[in-house]
């Protein structure tokens, strides 16, 4: 399993010309606003506030690069689907993320976060289909798993398998509260970076 010894916020990009598109390997983290992306990253980093957690959905408006162990980036993408942000702002985020996926040569894989308590949304389906050809390796992480019984978690996993037509091994249930799923996510990321 990948051990995170050193982690720092290396860069925040608001425009395409600020993006890091080559060099060190990258793993992208994407998901709806309020899916628990910052909480997941903080749990992976074993830090409480490195990735900014907000009660306000849509708070991440930039692409944030976290340098891990001096040799790879965990890339925090803006959450999608938040309706209260102005339309112009949402379009800017979308253009930025589009540009990132189309042009990042060092992207090794993507972690797609989905709230386990809800069916994947149309936007989740669109992200999955759109990135299928752009990103070779995908991992789906069902967040907030502590909110459901084990039986309901397994139902959600089976449902996602069918809807996305993916293998069981491409899905991990995760809880930022308990840390369940953390070691499995880091083990998957380690396979990308070999």
């Amino acid at each position: 399993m990948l051990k995170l010894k050193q982690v720092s916020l290396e860069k925040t990009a608001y425009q395409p010309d600020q993006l890091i598109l080559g060099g060190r390997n990258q793993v992208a983290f994407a998901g709806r606003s309020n899916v628990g992306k910052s909480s997941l990253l903080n749990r992976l980093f074993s830090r409480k506030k490195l990735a900014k957690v907000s009660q306000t959905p849509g708070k991440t408006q930039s692409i944030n690069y976290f340098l891990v162990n001096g040799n790879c980036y965990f890339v925090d993408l803006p959450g999608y689907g938040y309706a209260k942000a102005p339309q112009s702002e949402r379009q800017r985020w979308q253009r930025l993320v589009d540009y990132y996926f189309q042009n990042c040569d060092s992207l090794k894989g993507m972690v797609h976060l989905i709230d386990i308590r809800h069916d994947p949304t149309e936007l989740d389906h669109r992200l999955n289909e759109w990135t299928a050809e752009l990103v070779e390796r995908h991992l789906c992480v069902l967040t907030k798993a502590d909110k459901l019984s084990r039986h309901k978690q397994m139902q959600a996993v089976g449902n996602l398998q069918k809807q996305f037509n993916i293998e069981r091994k491409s899905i991990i249930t995760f809880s930022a509260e308990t840390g369940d799923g953390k070691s499995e996510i880091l083990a998957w990321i380690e396979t990308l970076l070999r």
Side-chain angles (χ1 to χ4, degrees):
M1 179 182 81
L2 180 67
K3 297 222 180 320
L4 277 57
K5 294 174 183 139
Q6 291 177 299
V7 183
S8 60
L9 177 58
E10 183 83 355
K11 184 163 192 184
T12 297
Y14 291 92
Q15 301 295 336
D17 63 359
Q18 298 172 326
L19 294 170
I20 302 171
L21 300 171
R24 296 180 175 99
N25 290 334
Q26 299 186 26
V27 182
F29 292 79
R32 279 180 61 80
S33 294
N34 220 20
V35 75
K37 196 154 39 69
S38 298
S39 297
L40 177 138
L41 286 167
N42 284 329
R43 178 58 91 156
L44 295 184
F45 298 155
S46 299
R47 303 270 283 278
K48 287 213 165 106
K49 296 182 179 167
L50 190 55
K52 297 285 185 276
V53 179
S54 172
Q55 299 309 311
T56 311
K59 195 72 174 169
T60 304
Q61 300 177 6
S62 56
I63 291 181
N64 299 315
Y65 292 86
F66 295 94
L67 181 60
V68 175
N69 297 343
N71 62 14
C72 69
Y73 290 114
F74 284 17
V75 184
D76 182 11
L77 301 176
Y80 51 84
Y82 181 55
K84 288 192 182 171
Q87 178 72 14
S88 60
E89 192 62 12
R90 281 184 283 143
Q91 287 172 343
R92 184 186 67 76
W93 302 343
Q94 188 59 50
R95 283 194 301 272
L96 187 64
V97 172
D98 286 355
Y99 192 89
Y100 173 77
F101 277 120
Q102 301 276 3
N103 295 283
C104 185
D105 295 331
S106 55
L107 182 59
K108 296 299 177 189
M110 182 182 86
V111 179
H112 184 176
L113 283 69
I114 298 168
D115 189 325
I116 197 167
R117 300 168 300 175
H118 309 292
D119 276 341
T121 65
E122 182 193 338
L123 290 169
D124 288 320
H125 281 280
R126 277 174 33 202
L127 178 72
N128 183 57
E129 288 161 16
W130 176 60
T131 56
E133 293 176 15
L134 298 172
V135 187
E136 191 177 334
R137 303 270 310 277
H138 284 77
L139 178 70
C140 286
V141 173
L142 291 169
T143 62
K144 309 187 184 185
D146 54 284
K147 310 284 188 207
L148 295 183
S149 68
R150 194 81 192 127
H151 177 67
K152 293 273 191 195
Q153 289 179 35
M154 290 305 98
Q155 283 183 327
V157 167
N159 181 38
L160 186 63
Q161 261 186 278
K162 283 192 202 125
Q163 289 201 39
F164 279 14
N165 192 25
I166 55 176
E167 296 179 19
R168 169 65 184 91
K169 67 180 182 182
S170 298
I171 305 170
I172 290 172
T173 58
F174 173 79
S175 166
E177 293 292 316
T178 65
D180 286 349
K182 172 181 173 175
S183 58
E184 291 88 343
I185 295 168
L186 290 174
W188 181 82
I189 291 172
E190 187 175 42
T191 66
L192 301 180
L193 303 176
R194 284 184 189 141

